[in-house]
């Protein structure tokens, strides 16, 4: 494992060598248990360095969004956070606190799982003679905006004991960081909001935070005078509102109402939807269906129009789930990758043929086969997609 060094200048390689000893491994487990039992997170683990890196290919660098902050944390503290994160994840999955449609940030719930579930849902709707309409929205600045009071409520509802609650109370207070830009380094500033995006505990804390939001959303749409049959799928801070109806007017009204409710729930929990990134897509069964837009002006958003191709989690969805564009995109990407591999050697020098073969299997095939589970199954029309794959052989 390779990453930039934190304030203690200890690398993962050092820790891996150190904890190859059973005695050292036992000591770090004892230290972790002591932190939880004493309900404390040491100050030296709360100090970080934030390196500001400009994002590539931006037209202007006059706004903060054009830069990416990299937080360098104490490596030993990150190791302890990983241990706590694994135990915490096991606990909340075991007690059923997380929603089944929460994917990402959780082990054994990947982007492929999200793509397969979404594809299955759409095809199941077609069997019922229903189209599927989806609103995809993004939560703005999720990790830096987490409200500690609301997060504490979520942790309590997740069934954590008093020692763990006390530990997280200490964990979220007294943080400080310095900012580095080229050769400049600022003094340390206190940080009292959000959670560190590079922290090992951030993904599971996010999942717990979002679980209560989803529970509240489902409860509110169920308690309406007329229940709204809207489903939700979440992958980290990218979420989907899904409606399956025979009428476009009905599905559009359900999605708009659900979007308004979710927007208010997120606002109450200290978060906001980034309306400019909200997308709409329809999966119709008919050959020449309507393709209506949805007006989000009531919540401060724009009028969103469906796109011919919708990108979600690296998958390129088309209206008929043929995934022709998806395969063309990744086959073309593989051809560019293959052209660079050719430059690494020839018949007289450079990489050996067996090394190129290994490079092909490890770097090219995973790109070409990304998401193949969504279109390659029994009875699916695969001729055109397989033709695209043959181009990169």
């Amino acid at each position: 494992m390779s990453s930039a060094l934190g304030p203690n200048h200890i690398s993962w390689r050092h820790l891996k060598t150190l904890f190859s000893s059973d005695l050292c491994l036992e000591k770090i487990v004892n230290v972790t248990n002591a932190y939880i039992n004493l309900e404390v997170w040491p100050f030296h683990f709360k100090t970080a360095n934030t390196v500001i890196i400009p994002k590539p290919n931006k037209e202007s660098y006059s706004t903060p969004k054009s830069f990416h902050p990299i937080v360098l944390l104490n490596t030993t503290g990150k190791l302890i956070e990983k241990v706590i994160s694994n135990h915490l994840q096991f606990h909340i999955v075991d007690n059923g606190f997380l929603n089944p449609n929460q994917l990402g940030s959780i082990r054994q719930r990947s982007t492929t799982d999200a793509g397969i579930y979404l594809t299955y849902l759409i095809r199941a709707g077609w069997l019922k003679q229903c189209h599927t309409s989806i609103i995809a929205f993004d939560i703005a600045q999720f990790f830096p905006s987490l409200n500690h009071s609301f997060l504490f409520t979520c942790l309590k509802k997740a069934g954590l004991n008093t020692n763990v609650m006390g530990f997280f109370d200490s964990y979220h207070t007294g943080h400080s960081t310095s900012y580095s830009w080229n050769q400049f380094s600022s003094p340390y500033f206190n940080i009292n909001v959000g959670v560190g995006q590079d922290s090992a505990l951030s993904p599971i804390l996010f999942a717990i935070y979002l679980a209560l939001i989803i529970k509240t959303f489902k409860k509110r749409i169920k308690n309406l005078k007329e229940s709204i049959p809207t489903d939700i799928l979440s992958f980290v801070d990218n979420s989907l509102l899904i409606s399956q109806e025979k009428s476009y007017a009905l599905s559009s009204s359900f999605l708009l109402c659900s979007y308004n409710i979710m927007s208010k729930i997120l606002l109450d929990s200290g978060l906001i939807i980034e309306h400019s990134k909200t997308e709409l897509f329809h999966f119709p069964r008919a050959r020449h269906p309507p393709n209506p837009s949805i007006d989000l002006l009531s919540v401060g958003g724009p009028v969103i129009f469906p796109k011919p191709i919708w990108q979600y989690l690296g998958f390129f969805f088309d209206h008929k789930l043929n995934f022709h564009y998806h395969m063309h995109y990744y086959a073309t990407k593989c051809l560019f990758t293959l052209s660079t591999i050719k430059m690494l050697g020839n018949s007289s020098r450079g990489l050996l043929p067996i090394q190129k073969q290994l490079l092909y299997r490890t770097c090219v095939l995973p790109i070409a086969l990304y998401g193949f589970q969504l279109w390659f199954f029994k009875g699916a029309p695969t001729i055109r997609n397989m033709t695209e794959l043959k181009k990169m052989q």
Side-chain angles (χ1 to χ4, degrees):
M1 185 182 297
S2 177
S3 61
L5 300 180
N8 62 343
H9 300 286
I10 297 177
S11 69
W12 287 108
R13 183 179 298 177
H14 294 143
L15 291 179
K16 186 176 181 180
T17 302
L18 182 64
F19 295 121
S20 60
S21 167
D22 292 338
L23 179 61
C24 292
L25 193 60
E26 181 183 354
K27 295 299 182 182
I28 196 67
V29 172
N30 292 338
V31 168
T32 304
N33 290 331
Y35 288 155
I36 295 177
N37 293 331
L38 295 174
E39 303 177 9
V40 64
W41 186 242
F43 174 77
H44 50 270
F45 290 158
K46 300 180 181 181
T47 305
N49 296 329
T50 302
V51 181
I52 309 299
I53 299 177
K55 296 180 180 179
N57 303 322
K58 291 291 183 179
E59 295 182 359
S60 173
Y61 291 94
S62 58
T63 60
K65 288 185 178 182
S66 301
F67 300 89
H68 184 63
I70 303 295
V71 181
L72 305 180
L73 300 169
N74 187 297
T75 314
T76 308
K78 290 173 71 173
L79 176 65
I80 297 175
E81 287 180 350
K82 286 178 182 289
V83 176
I84 297 174
S85 176
N86 288 340
H87 284 272
L88 185 59
Q89 184 172 139
F90 177 84
H91 173 75
I92 62 172
V93 171
D94 183 61
N95 67 10
F97 181 75
L98 295 181
N99 189 281
N101 286 5
Q102 275 186 265
L103 305 174
S105 303
I106 306 165
R107 290 192 175 190
Q108 299 180 349
R109 298 186 186 183
S110 63
T111 57
T112 303
D113 295 324
I116 291 174
Y117 172 77
L118 186 57
T119 305
Y120 169 80
L121 196 66
I122 295 166
R123 293 189 179 277
W126 288 348
L127 292 177
K128 301 175 185 177
Q129 303 301 316
C130 294
H131 70 273
T132 302
S133 297
I134 294 174
I135 282 184
F137 63 92
D138 183 70
I139 302 174
Q141 298 294 317
F142 186 87
F143 289 102
S145 303
L146 290 188
N147 183 283
H148 290 171
S149 177
F150 186 83
L151 178 59
F152 197 80
T153 302
C154 296
L155 293 172
K156 188 175 181 180
K157 290 184 177 293
L160 303 182
N161 62 36
T162 54
N163 286 343
V164 178
M165 296 291 291
F167 166 80
F168 278 109
D169 187 36
S170 173
Y171 179 83
H172 288 120
T173 57
H175 284 266
S176 62
T177 186
S178 67
Y179 297 92
S180 300
W181 170 269
N182 293 332
Q183 303 300 321
F184 170 79
S185 293
S186 73
Y188 282 91
F189 295 93
N190 293 328
I191 302 176
N192 296 317
V193 295
V195 296
Q197 190 166 351
D198 294 330
S199 168
L201 279 169
S202 295
I204 192 62
L205 291 177
F206 156 79
I208 294 173
Y209 199 97
L210 191 61
L212 186 57
I213 292 175
I214 294 177
K215 288 178 186 291
T216 306
F217 169 77
K218 291 200 168 187
K219 185 177 180 180
R220 287 194 185 179
I221 63 174
K222 185 178 180 180
N223 292 338
L224 295 174
K225 292 182 179 180
E226 294 185 9
S227 180
I228 299 177
T230 303
D231 198 6
I232 185 169
L233 177 66
S234 170
F235 194 93
V236 194
D237 57 346
N238 298 310
S239 300
L240 306 179
L241 295 174
I242 307 169
S243 177
Q244 291 184 318
E245 299 291 337
K246 295 182 179 180
S247 167
Y248 279 93
L250 201 58
S251 62
S252 296
S253 62
F254 285 163
L255 285 177
L256 180 59
C257 183
S258 300
Y259 188 85
N260 288 341
I261 293 172
M262 177 56 75
S263 180
K264 292 177 182 178
I265 294 173
L266 289 173
L267 194 61
D268 292 339
S269 59
L271 303 172
I272 58 173
I273 295 177
E274 197 165 353
H275 299 300
S276 61
K277 293 185 178 180
T278 301
E279 296 178 304
L280 171 67
F281 202 78
H282 302 293
F283 293 93
R285 189 58 171 167
R287 178 167 295 183
H288 300 291
N291 204 22
S293 59
I294 294 182
D295 190 350
L296 300 179
L297 293 177
S298 59
V299 291
V303 178
I304 50 176
F305 297 91
K307 297 179 179 180
I309 299 293
W310 173 50
Q311 183 182 2
Y312 180 66
L313 302 179
F315 308 117
F316 292 89
F317 290 90
D318 53 79
H319 295 289
K320 300 300 181 182
L321 293 183
N322 294 320
F323 292 99
H324 294 331
Y325 182 86
H326 175 90
M327 284 310 306
H328 176 72
Y329 174 85
Y330 282 104
T332 305
K333 192 173 183 178
C334 287
L335 290 176
F336 280 111
T337 306
L338 285 171
S339 64
T340 59
I341 291 179
K342 292 180 180 179
M343 296 187 295
L344 298 178
N346 52 37
S347 58
S348 60
R349 60 183 179 180
L351 295 182
L352 299 175
I354 191 172
Q355 293 172 328
K356 288 186 178 181
Q357 182 185 35
L358 180 61
L359 198 60
Y360 177 83
R361 290 181 176 180
T362 55
C363 297
V364 179
L365 283 183
I367 297 174
L369 299 179
Y370 179 69
F372 80 94
Q373 298 93 338
L374 279 62
W375 57 267
F376 188 82
F377 53 89
K378 186 177 181 180
T382 60
I383 297 178
R384 182 170 171 179
N385 290 338
M386 294 302 293
T387 304
E388 288 285 352
L389 282 177
K390 290 178 182 179
K391 293 180 181 178
M392 44 159 283
Q393 289 183 342

